[in-house]
Every structure is written in C-alpha cells, then in structure tokens.
Amino acid sequence: MNINQEQLIIFQSVMETGSFSAAARKLGKVPSAVSMSIANMEIDLNLNLFERKGREPVPTPQAHVLYEKSAQLLIEMNQWKQQAFALSTGLESALNIVIVSELLHTHWVDYIRLIEQKFPTLQINIISAPQEDALAMLLDQSAQLAFMFEREHLDHREQFVEIKKEALVAVAANEHCLAQLDEVSFKDLVQQRQIVVASRDSKIKPELLFSKQYWRTDNHHSACMMILGELGWGVLPSEMFIENPKLSNQLKILNILDFTPKFEYYIDLVWSRESSLGVAAHYLIDHLQLQRKRAKD
C-alpha cells in the first residue's frame, strides 16, 4: 500500500465535489488524471471506492468511512511537513522553559503564546522551580530559558534581558506575634521562624533569608499556606493579594523599621552562554530585547 498526499487530496476533492470532472476543475487537473489517481488508489487499497454506473461516481460505504479520516490525516501530514521544514531551519525539537515559583502568578503565559503563534508545531515544556534550581537547570542545559528574579551575583555563563519589576512583601498571619507589632525591627524578624521559598537542594542557601531559624518549601503557594497557619513569617509576591483578595484580611504586611517591607526586583529572561539555542528561543529573546529598547526610547 502506497497512498500519497496528492492521492488523498484528489480523493477528498471527488468526495466533496461529487464528480471526477468537478474535482479536476477545482485542482487544476484533467479529468483523466483524477480518474486514474482514484483507480490506482482503489488498486492499492484493494477497495471499491466509487460505483461508476451512472453519469457521476457514487461513493461506496467504504469511501465514506475513509473520507472521515482523510481530513485529519491531511492536516497531520501538513503539520509533519511544516515541522520537518522548521527543524531544517534551526527550530528546536523541544523548548524547555523554567518559571521561578514566585513568578507563576505573573503573565508569563503571554510569552509562551507568542512562541506558539510563531511556531505552532513546537513542543514546549514548562517547569516550575525555585530560583536557585532554575539557574542550575539553565547551566546544566536541561532548560533553555528561565523567567527569574534578578540575581545579586551573576554567573559568568548567564545572559539575560530585563522584562519588568515585581514587588515582594514581608507578611505574617494576623494572629502571629509579629503582626501584633505596629513596627517590626530587624531583631524581631531574625528571632522568629521564616518560611522561605528555596531550592530543593538543602545545601544551597536560600535567597531572601533573614531569620536565624527557617523552614523551606519549593513554591510560594505552600509558603503562603504555612504563613497562614502561623508557622512563621515570610516574603510573598504582592500580586498574590490581587490574585486572592481574601489574603488582605488574613495576612498583615509587616511595617519593618530597619528596611522597607517592599522589595522590588526585576524579572529577567535568562539563558546560558554555553547553550546552543534554537530559532524559537532566539525569537523570544529578540522580541523582549526589542521591547526593552522601545521602552527606553
């Protein structure tokens, strides 16, 4: 059996137009070419697809069954060809993107949609991880791109483009002892347990760690639940209060004396200098760099 894409298109056209001659006009072919293609298809399939007793061919029940499958098969064949062409021009076979846990509530999906619209056949894998793990995934090349907070110390292997600012706030549950204070000193903070979002690797010191005693988790949603449970205070994205207005009645933003309780960080798109990035990754990087340039002009 050797059915090709052109035969499927001819078969589909005959089914939709109702005759060999109409299908030929639609496809810009001579009727004999259409008739021959259908005859060869019937031989290959060992099936009678059309009854030819009258002026026009009448589809058999078998033809109706195959017609229902042919449209999806043609779509898949076109997608396969598009994918093959894209790969030949440097498109990745898959693009792994890691989102830092605290940034899951941001509009990162907009950037994924941008890639999908340009490269609809590309396999995209999204991973969530703490900041330190996200950077490790970039450097060991298990991910190609990462949405991360700006880093205090840059690794010489990383490159990035700034996207926007994100605010974090120090909070405690309303019944927590820190929430009872009008003003919280740094000494008060360090003496109370902190719930910190940190790497799953316990050997890596968490960022934004202030307290002497701390518990760690790998995402801000579980951190929020622990803080609500009065197990400690912590630093959470301020947009969580927009995402879940009920939090404003359950958590108190701490008024810290020694430094501002509102930490502003840039969100960066980060990649490794050592990675051989594909077309889709470069497309997003170029898009964000252009956005950044326009914002400055």
Side-chain angles (χ1 to χ4, degrees):
M1 186 183 298
N2 186 27
I3 306 301
N4 59 44
Q5 187 177 20
E6 184 179 15
Q7 284 178 301
L8 284 174
I9 292 171
I10 290 172
F11 168 67
Q12 186 183 55
S13 297
V14 173
M15 291 292 292
E16 291 174 353
T17 61
S19 75
F20 292 161
S21 56
R25 287 194 297 273
K26 178 181 177 181
L27 299 172
K29 297 180 179 293
V30 297
S32 59
V34 171
S35 178
M36 181 66 73
S37 176
I38 295 297
N40 289 335
M41 191 174 183
E42 289 176 318
I43 293 170
D44 285 338
L45 295 175
N46 193 28
L47 284 174
N48 184 24
L49 298 177
F50 296 93
E51 298 290 348
R52 299 169 175 82
K53 294 178 180 178
R55 288 176 57 85
E56 303 296 349
V58 178
T60 63
Q62 293 90 339
H64 284 290
V65 171
L66 292 177
Y67 172 69
E68 292 178 3
K69 304 290 186 182
S70 63
Q72 183 58 39
L73 183 55
L74 283 168
I75 290 171
E76 290 174 359
M77 291 175 78
N78 282 327
Q79 288 176 339
W80 187 90
K81 289 169 69 176
Q82 290 170 11
Q83 182 74 54
F85 175 76
L87 291 171
S88 72
T89 58
L91 182 68
E92 304 89 328
S93 57
L95 180 60
N96 296 329
I97 302 175
V98 58
I99 315 291
V100 167
S101 304
E102 294 94 329
L103 300 178
L104 286 173
H105 65 283
T106 62
H107 299 293
W108 57 268
V109 174
D110 294 343
Y111 300 110
I112 309 305
R113 186 180 297 111
L114 188 73
I115 300 173
E116 189 275 336
Q117 289 171 349
K118 182 70 174 179
F119 308 101
T121 62
L122 175 63
Q123 172 72 37
I124 299 178
N125 302 310
I126 303 297
I127 308 126
S128 170
Q131 175 97 347
E132 302 87 352
D133 292 353
L135 182 58
M137 292 175 71
L138 285 182
L139 298 181
D140 69 16
Q141 299 185 31
S142 56
Q144 289 75 51
L145 299 173
F147 289 93
M148 301 173 60
F149 286 114
E150 60 182 288
R151 281 77 56 221
E152 186 175 346
H153 302 290
L154 293 177
D155 189 289
H156 70 280
R157 292 169 290 178
E158 64 178 283
Q159 286 185 276
F160 66 94
V161 56
E162 292 179 344
I163 302 174
K164 66 172 186 176
K165 283 185 178 179
E166 175 73 10
L168 301 171
V169 289
V171 298
N174 288 337
E175 302 305 317
H176 191 277
C177 61
L178 290 178
Q180 311 308 309
L181 303 175
D182 292 331
E183 295 179 323
V184 179
S185 68
F186 186 73
K187 182 179 178 181
D188 294 326
L189 277 184
V190 298
Q191 291 177 345
Q192 297 296 323
R193 181 191 301 123
Q194 182 179 351
I195 307 300
V196 62
V197 178
S199 169
R200 299 178 181 95
D201 184 348
S202 59
K203 299 188 293 293
I204 300 177
K205 183 180 178 181
E207 293 192 23
L208 297 178
L209 175 62
F210 303 98
S211 295
K212 295 177 181 177
Q213 181 190 6
Y214 63 95
W215 288 357
R216 55 201 297 159
T217 180
D218 66 358
N219 67 85
H220 70 284
H221 286 295
S222 59
C224 182
M225 294 302 295
M226 295 165 77
I227 295 168
L228 287 170
E230 301 176 37
L231 297 173
W233 70 277
V235 177
L236 295 177
S238 61
E239 283 197 21
M240 283 189 73
F241 290 85
I242 300 172
E243 195 179 88
N244 184 1
K246 290 182 180 179
L247 289 179
S248 299
N249 299 322
Q250 298 171 305
L251 296 175
K252 179 181 178 182
I253 297 177
L254 301 177
N255 181 21
I256 303 174
L257 281 173
D258 308 88
F259 60 94
T260 175
K262 187 173 183 179
F263 314 95
E264 286 196 336
Y265 290 86
Y266 272 102
I267 300 172
D268 297 334
L269 178 71
V270 188
W271 63 97
S272 170
R273 296 177 189 272
E274 298 177 347
S275 291
S276 179
L277 299 181
V279 172
H282 280 296
Y283 174 75
L284 181 58
I285 291 168
D286 292 344
H287 172 81
L288 291 173
Q289 287 176 333
L290 182 60
Q291 271 194 334
R292 182 74 179 161
K293 183 176 182 298
R294 287 173 175 169
K296 285 184 175 180
D297 292 344

